[in-house]
Amino acid sequence: MAMIDPPRANVPEAVAKCKSAGIKVIMVTGDHPITAAAIAKNVGIITEDVAMKMQSGEETKTAVVNGTTLKDMTPKDLDKLLLEHEEIVFARTSPQQKLIIVEAFQRSGQIVAVTGDGVNDSPALKKADIGIAMGIAGSDVSKEAADMILLDDNFASIVVGVEEGRLIFDNLKKSIAYTLTSNIPEISPFLFFIVLSIPLPLGTVCILFIDLGTDLWPAISLAYEKAESDIMTRQPRDPIKDRLVNERLISLSYGQIGMIQASAGFFTYFVIMAENGFRPSELIGIRKHWDNRENMAVTDSYGQEWSYADRKILEYTCHSAFFVSIVIVQWADVIICKTRKLSVFQQGMNNWVLNTGILFETALAAFLCYTPGLDKALRVYPLRFWWWLPALPFSAV
């Protein structure tokens, strides 16, 4: 009579997913080395026949290490073993040796996750970066030592958790990147206002419309984005360099997309000013006269005189146009932020929360510009249709 306790049917697929995602799966067990190697080969943890490789003298990327052998190893020997072999099985190990193995991986700079269910596993669970206890078969001690509890005792659930964690991290980065971009076109008008002494291109009320109105729905909608198809084939991120907000994200949001948005706003601003008689060269240094309530005859490039009230109406119209320009360029920005690695044509436009968000921000901008009475209440003036168009080429870029 013989007895066998086979692994679950979905474990080999889960192990294969881990390997494709750059996660090294190591077996640490108290079983006999022959038994451990057979089970490890069955689920895909090791892919080579170790015994035959050793008999033929061939080099192998796989190692089956007995607890007795491990006991005689120095820390340097163990570090070398972990470095030279991709597939490792530790058999006949003691609880103390499990802890030593965890510490060895951590010395090499790895993020270590350990699963266990017994009291003896508690030291390794506690030491690991992520200790995972079994919810059904696990002891109370192991559950207390662990960082998380696997409710169904299924290894495949860990892989699902890794995929979900990567998706959440990706979507947070996308949302942050989208939100940060509008900071440049919101700040730069005030810098130009101070440095070049031009009429203010964008007012504080319009900035509030962007931050509390048009940007909210699209930013939240990125949390509903589905995982990119390559999410479980990427290597694990560098915990030091690839943080949630890093230099690359700042460079993209501020140095590239933010600058394009600011350029779109200023281009629209100068177009409207020029159409009304104020060429860009004439605007520099004009602020002192422009904001003077007592000066009722500021002349434009064609000699026309502008009263204080007429000048302010033109300025507030430019505020509305600058605001609309940012909204138009944010159409492209949210589509750019949909993906981190793949093309938008590969990802598709199936996130209808995002699609509706684009329509919402456009409708809100139109509502604010064209609703009667808001010109007096919020100083948002209606725009001619063609004043929506100058920002479109910048959105296409």
Side-chain angles (χ1 to χ4, degrees), residues 204-251:
T204 52
V205 174
C206 290
I207 291 175
L208 290 175
F209 291 158
I210 296 167
D211 293 340
L212 302 179
T214 58
D215 269 4
L216 279 182
W217 191 324
I220 294 171
S221 71
L222 289 168
Y224 293 87
E225 195 65 35
K226 292 183 179 179
E228 296 175 41
S229 58
D230 68 335
I231 196 167
M232 287 301 285
T233 58
R234 302 175 195 164
Q235 292 300 300
R237 65 183 178 88
D238 188 324
I240 297 175
K241 294 181 179 179
D242 194 7
R243 296 181 179 272
L244 197 58
V245 178
N246 56 10
E247 293 86 352
R248 186 177 178 182
L249 186 145
I250 295 294
S251 173

Side-chain angles (χ1 to χ4, degrees), residues 332-348:
D333 183 25
V334 74
I335 294 173
I336 290 169
C337 292
K338 270 177 64 70
T339 61
R340 292 187 63 207
K341 304 289 184 180
L342 302 182
S343 164
V344 69
F345 296 105
Q346 294 173 293
Q347 183 73 354

Side-chain angles (χ1 to χ4, degrees), residues 305-325:
E305 294 184 347
W306 288 72
S307 66
Y308 178 80
D310 291 337
R311 297 197 303 268
K312 284 300 171 181
I313 290 174
L314 176 58
E315 180 181 324
Y316 297 147
T317 302
C318 288
H319 291 182
S320 303
F322 205 110
F323 159 63
V324 166
S325 298

